[in-house]
Amino acid sequence: MKKYCYGICFLISVAINILFSIHLYVGDGPNQEISCRSSLTWSEKAAAEAEAVAAISCSGHGRAFLDGSISDGQPVCECYGCYSGTDCSELSPGCAADANSGDPIYLEPFWMQNAADTAVVISGWHRMSYEYADDPMMSPELDKYIRKLHSVAGNAITQDRYIVFGVGSSQLLSAAVYALSSQNSSSPSNVLASTPFYHLYKDQTRLFNSKNFVYRGDTNSWQTNNTDVIEFVTSPTNPGGELKKKSVTGGKTIHDHAYFWPQFTPIPGPSDHDLMIFSLSKLTGHAGTRFGYVVYAVLASSFFQLSSVRYILNIFLCTLIIYRWAIIKDKDVYDKVLNYIYLANAGISKDTQLRVLKVLKVAMKADGKPFFEFAYNQMSDRWNRLTSVFSKSTRFSIQPRHPLHCNFFHQTRQPSPAYAWVRCERQEDNDCAAVLKAGKIIGQSGSTFSAKDRYARLSLIKSQDDFELLMQRLTELVSLENHNIEIM
């Protein structure tokens, strides 16, 4: 009986192995065979290197990187502010809290939790060509996901719009001014923005020193009937975080929507303007990837004449060094754009576009709910703590926030801006940044944003270490105030 059972088991085992072999080597064709291989080949070493560097903890106060410095054959920890030592474990006593830059590291924990889905391992021969198969300069798949992203977030209309990629929003801002400016050097376009505004608007306009456009300052001080105006409309504002629906001057507009995402502001509805600029860095925190894009409506604006549309679009696209506009249906424009691209730098890095695609796919899982909830909770918590500290002060105040209904979260929520716009209330404190600096807090002065120096901007989107130190210094500053001890 035992021999009989053994024989049956052996036959069953042979049959199972035959079926498994057929499935493994025949299956559904080549793709099935590739997916069932039990081991990797050339990617193993790259993956092992990335895993080894990611495993270096740096005491949680820094990071090691594949392209960082090497010491004794090992990557060196790059420490966050106020931390030092080989493993970033040493906190510098009396260190000032740096709330100066808008470096969006606050989302780092989310991407660490999603390491597997956002990791990018590429071969040495990955997209060596200048062109994609279906598009010379821009990934059609990335274009599709960006449109899907705005549909999910509900913050912009992309239907019947052209999407243009750029090396960060900074490049796109200057390109947009150039594209909309007058071609008559004797009567240049007037570039304006409403105070307080992002200083790059003014700095870039002056730097390029074009005969076709000139920086004119604040919209409220502009008193002329000259209709040739290019106005930056920042919504939400930087700093301040206020939503703005329309321009002040009624001229040509560039809508800067770098912070128009659910973690920073309630989304009352999709933006539908002629030229809108968005930035990956403020959406996902990947500032180092340097990727921005424009949603551009060609025929929606009343200030465009049909005869000039092709010409303006030509200038705009050439400035961005991007191509995919055979849709213009003008062979001359097509040739000029293509020629300019090849004479310049042949577009945006293919490696960058791949990384952006991977990141966006994760950000949009489950219709973006996990990502935006995580980001909003981070910012909301920081604002709750910040508001609690400032509520105990009479010397300092921050911008008011007003709840709005958010179409993404389907409920009324408070804005949680990227920056605190601090006002020093005492008459003698006419340099708020200096007052904060004396309290070991580094911020940006109001004049940086063409406002009064009675104001200062504090960044709330840096690392958790930076934010914790900022809270500690603010608490100390307010505590001294309540004990009638002067800082200055």
Side-chain angles (χ1 to χ4, degrees), residues 4-172:
Y4 180 73
C5 290
Y6 289 151
I8 293 176
C9 290
F10 175 75
L11 291 175
I12 292 174
S13 176
V14 170
I16 290 174
N17 278 278
I18 292 173
L19 291 173
F20 178 76
S21 298
I22 293 173
H23 179 72
L24 178 64
Y25 294 106
V26 179
D28 297 324
N31 292 332
Q32 182 70 21
E33 180 180 344
I34 292 173
S35 66
C36 290
R37 288 176 181 171
S38 59
S39 63
L40 302 175
T41 54
W42 57 266
S43 63
E44 285 183 322
K45 182 180 179 182
E49 289 177 347
E51 288 272 7
V53 172
I56 301 174
S57 70
C58 299
S59 299
H61 304 300
R63 292 286 173 260
F65 301 98
L66 279 171
D67 59 352
S69 300
I70 303 294
S71 177
D72 297 328
Q74 295 294 325
V76 175
C77 286
E78 297 181 16
C79 302
Y80 294 146
C82 296
Y83 286 90
S84 59
T86 56
D87 63 347
C88 302
S89 60
E90 301 171 14
L91 176 62
S92 302
C95 184
D98 188 353
N100 183 43
S101 75
D103 209 4
I105 310 298
Y106 79 105
L107 284 172
E108 184 183 65
F110 179 86
W111 299 114
M112 293 181 71
Q113 294 170 15
N114 291 273
D117 291 335
T118 53
V120 178
V121 179
I122 61 174
S123 63
W125 58 91
H126 172 75
R127 293 213 177 273
M128 295 175 65
S129 170
Y130 286 110
E131 303 178 356
Y132 290 93
D134 301 323
D135 190 302
M137 292 301 139
M138 295 188 292
S139 164
E141 189 71 3
L142 181 54
D143 180 283
K144 181 179 74 175
Y145 266 87
I146 286 177
R147 294 177 190 274
K148 181 180 178 182
L149 167 69
H150 287 294
S151 177
V152 166
N155 64 344
I157 292 176
T158 60
Q159 186 177 0
D160 299 326
R161 301 291 189 270
Y162 302 111
I163 294 180
V164 182
F165 301 164
V167 184
S169 60
S170 301
Q171 181 195 51
L172 299 175

Side-chain angles (χ1 to χ4, degrees), residues 34-349:
I34 292 173
S35 66
C36 290
R37 288 176 181 171
S38 59
S39 63
L40 302 175
T41 54
W42 57 266
S43 63
E44 285 183 322
K45 182 180 179 182
E49 289 177 347
E51 288 272 7
V53 172
I56 301 174
S57 70
C58 299
S59 299
H61 304 300
R63 292 286 173 260
F65 301 98
L66 279 171
D67 59 352
S69 300
I70 303 294
S71 177
D72 297 328
Q74 295 294 325
V76 175
C77 286
E78 297 181 16
C79 302
Y80 294 146
C82 296
Y83 286 90
S84 59
T86 56
D87 63 347
C88 302
S89 60
E90 301 171 14
L91 176 62
S92 302
C95 184
D98 188 353
N100 183 43
S101 75
D103 209 4
I105 310 298
Y106 79 105
L107 284 172
E108 184 183 65
F110 179 86
W111 299 114
M112 293 181 71
Q113 294 170 15
N114 291 273
D117 291 335
T118 53
V120 178
V121 179
I122 61 174
S123 63
W125 58 91
H126 172 75
R127 293 213 177 273
M128 295 175 65
S129 170
Y130 286 110
E131 303 178 356
Y132 290 93
D134 301 323
D135 190 302
M137 292 301 139
M138 295 188 292
S139 164
E141 189 71 3
L142 181 54
D143 180 283
K144 181 179 74 175
Y145 266 87
I146 286 177
R147 294 177 190 274
K148 181 180 178 182
L149 167 69
H150 287 294
S151 177
V152 166
N155 64 344
I157 292 176
T158 60
Q159 186 177 0
D160 299 326
R161 301 291 189 270
Y162 302 111
I163 294 180
V164 182
F165 301 164
V167 184
S169 60
S170 301
Q171 181 195 51
L172 299 175
L173 293 172
S174 60
V177 171
Y178 184 72
L180 302 182
S181 64
S182 168
Q183 301 307 305
N184 183 1
S185 59
S186 63
S187 181
S189 298
N190 303 284
V191 180
L192 303 168
S194 296
T195 302
F197 57 82
Y198 184 37
H199 63 87
L200 205 63
Y201 302 159
K202 174 177 65 177
D203 296 344
Q204 282 192 341
T205 304
R206 288 177 171 174
L207 174 67
F208 293 114
N209 193 29
S210 172
K211 294 180 180 180
N212 296 331
F213 54 84
V214 59
Y215 174 74
R216 294 294 189 186
D218 181 46
T219 54
N220 295 317
S221 62
W222 181 249
Q223 297 177 352
T224 179
N225 293 325
N226 189 331
T227 57
D228 192 0
V229 169
I230 301 172
E231 180 184 345
F232 282 105
V233 180
T234 313
S235 183
T237 56
N238 173 19
E242 298 177 29
L243 288 177
K244 291 188 175 182
K245 295 182 179 180
K246 60 182 181 179
S247 68
V248 174
T249 63
K252 294 171 281 190
T253 58
I254 300 167
H255 285 257
D256 186 349
H257 285 324
Y259 298 92
F260 194 45
W261 300 104
Q263 66 262 45
F264 297 122
T265 183
I267 306 296
S271 183
D272 185 16
H273 299 288
D274 300 303
L275 198 159
M276 301 174 285
I277 294 178
F278 293 87
S279 170
L280 180 82
S281 64
K282 299 309 183 289
L283 166 63
T284 67
H286 292 83
T289 303
R290 304 310 305 136
F291 185 86
Y293 54 94
V294 170
V295 182
Y296 188 53
V298 178
L299 297 176
S301 174
S302 60
F303 61 78
F304 280 126
Q305 293 183 359
L306 292 177
S307 60
S308 65
V309 168
R310 291 191 297 269
Y311 181 65
I312 291 176
L313 186 56
N314 179 30
I315 296 173
F316 186 51
L317 295 174
C318 287
T319 307
L320 292 177
I321 318 174
I322 298 293
Y323 163 78
R324 196 208 189 284
W325 303 115
I327 195 172
I328 297 172
K329 300 180 181 179
D330 188 313
K331 186 64 166 59
D332 290 337
V333 173
Y334 172 87
D335 291 338
K336 288 177 183 178
V337 173
L338 188 62
N339 183 56
Y340 188 96
I341 291 170
Y342 277 104
L343 291 176
N345 65 354
I348 304 302
S349 163

